[in-house]
Amino acid sequence: MKLSLIGTGYMGFPIAVKLIEAGHELGVFNRTVQKAEPLLEKGAIVFNKFKDSVEFADTIIIMLSDIKAINALLGEMDLSIMKGKTVIQMSTIAPGESLELRERFQDFGADYFEAPVLGSIPQIETKTLIVLAGSDNQQFESNKELFSAFSNDIRHIGAVGQASSLKLALNQLIIGMTSVFSMSLGFVRERGLDTDVFMDIVRNSALYSPTFDKKLDNYLSRDFSNPNFPLKLLLKDLNLIIDAFSSEQINIEALKGMQRILKEGVEDGLGEMDYSALYNVIHKA
């Protein structure tokens, strides 16, 4: 396929590599062009202008940080050049924001659907990323093969808005499990208990989640460099989650506490660190 990927950040860059490896003709655009230039040697075409990247391809994949970044980019261009193109929105945004984008693109004759993902860089590299498609059946079947470049678990969730809703529900679990595990681990360490014994009991109980072991070394060493997903973006997602959950009469008091923890982490300079750095806020050194 002839594709353009917009956004070569934490997720966009490794996805671009996988699309090239799968044999697709790929153009890329990133506002900070230096972040996209390493893809030249991988076989991508790097564009300096967003408009040029759109004109190049039949299918446009958006992988930007948030709706603000998306709208800022779209506001710079006459969207009539989108006519006849397919737009796949893969960023984590609110369901209402995705629906608004669909209407905006449809007004200019583009075919829009959403496909947020669960997982991060390691899952992209091993093709174990979970793709959540919010689309009609035809859109899903026509583009399913594209996602197989970086996923072997591609799910049609429902219409536009439903996949982005499910993504927020899943990300809330990431925040919740990371936070509560950090509290227990911090208490165990402060009391001088054996962390190996603690982990052995957890692993052999119904309490266990693989994410505990995934980030355990980070917690024990307090090394949160080389992030798979940065703390600042987790805070962005939590803000979306709080708005979405509260609109459905879900009690969000626990989420407000997590929000304060993440804000403190960002204010303490941990925003660019791996999201597991919230441990340093819960259990201070």
Side-chain angles (χ1 to χ4, degrees):
M1 297 177 69
K2 202 170 186 179
L3 312 169
S4 270
L5 179 73
I6 312 304
T8 57
Y10 290 101
M11 299 289 283
F13 191 99
I15 283 178
V17 172
K18 286 297 182 183
L19 290 170
I20 294 167
E21 290 176 351
H24 298 293
E25 189 177 355
L26 184 70
V28 295
F29 172 80
N30 197 79
R31 280 199 158 177
T32 306
V33 70
Q34 291 83 358
K35 291 183 178 180
E37 284 176 345
L39 289 166
L40 279 169
E41 61 186 44
K42 304 285 186 181
I45 301 169
V46 177
F47 291 98
N48 292 316
K49 295 181 179 179
F50 176 48
K51 180 177 180 290
D52 293 341
S53 68
V54 171
E55 290 178 333
F56 164 79
D58 303 313
T59 299
I60 316 300
I61 300 171
I62 299 174
M63 184 60 84
L64 297 173
S65 58
D66 55 24
I67 192 65
K68 184 178 179 181
I70 295 171
N71 284 334
L73 206 55
L74 297 181
E76 298 175 355
M77 191 181 69
D78 178 2
L79 294 184
S80 63
I81 69 168
M82 290 283 190
K83 185 176 182 179
K85 297 182 184 294
T86 297
V87 179
I88 306 174
Q89 201 297 115
M90 298 188 68
S91 312
T92 300
I93 60 175
E97 293 168 345
S98 188
L99 288 167
E100 288 174 5
L101 283 177
R102 181 186 65 178
E103 290 195 15
R104 189 173 181 184
F105 282 113
Q106 284 182 342
D107 286 344
F108 288 95
D111 190 29
Y112 171 93
F113 71 95
E114 63 186 9
V117 297
L118 182 66
S120 191
I121 297 170
Q123 288 72 44
I124 295 171
E125 293 173 346
T126 57
K127 293 188 179 183
T128 54
L129 201 66
I130 300 174
V131 176
L132 312 171
S135 67
D136 61 36
N137 289 329
Q138 183 177 352
Q139 289 169 324
F140 179 70
E141 293 300 331
S142 298
N143 294 278
K144 188 175 181 180
E145 185 63 27
L146 183 158
F147 299 123
S148 67
F150 47 82
S151 173
N152 56 21
D153 192 349
I154 306 157
R155 303 186 181 221
H156 186 209
I157 304 304
V160 171
Q162 292 183 302
S164 51
S165 295
L166 184 56
K167 179 59 163 56
L168 295 184
L170 294 166
N171 276 20
Q172 192 279 141
L173 290 176
I174 296 171
I175 298 166
M177 289 191 295
T178 305
S179 300
V180 297
F181 180 76
S182 293
M183 285 189 280
S184 290
L185 179 64
F187 181 74
V188 164
R189 297 179 76 186
E190 286 298 325
R191 296 297 297 174
L193 301 172
D194 191 326
T195 55
D196 289 336
V197 172
F198 167 67
M199 288 304 302
D200 186 56
I201 293 171
V202 170
R203 291 185 190 107
N204 287 282
S205 73
L207 306 173
Y208 182 65
S209 171
T211 192
F212 299 160
D213 271 313
K214 180 181 175 184
K215 299 296 182 181
L216 183 60
D217 288 343
N218 299 58
Y219 303 137
L220 296 178
S221 66
R222 295 187 184 272
D223 182 0
F224 307 103
S225 56
N226 193 28
N228 288 328
F229 190 73
L231 188 71
K232 66 179 184 180
L233 292 185
L234 195 66
L235 175 58
K236 180 270 294 184
D237 288 353
L238 179 55
N239 292 336
L240 295 175
I241 290 165
I242 287 175
D243 288 343
F245 280 34
S246 62
S247 70
E248 301 297 337
Q249 286 72 56
I250 304 296
N251 190 312
I252 58 169
E253 290 306 307
L255 295 178
K256 288 180 180 178
M258 296 175 196
Q259 187 183 46
R260 289 192 292 272
I261 288 169
L262 295 183
K263 282 183 176 178
E264 184 178 339
V266 171
E267 290 167 0
D268 287 348
L270 301 174
E272 298 292 343
M273 297 290 102
D274 188 79
Y275 71 86
S276 55
L278 64 83
Y279 177 81
N280 267 4
V281 184
I282 292 173
H283 179 211
K284 295 186 181 295

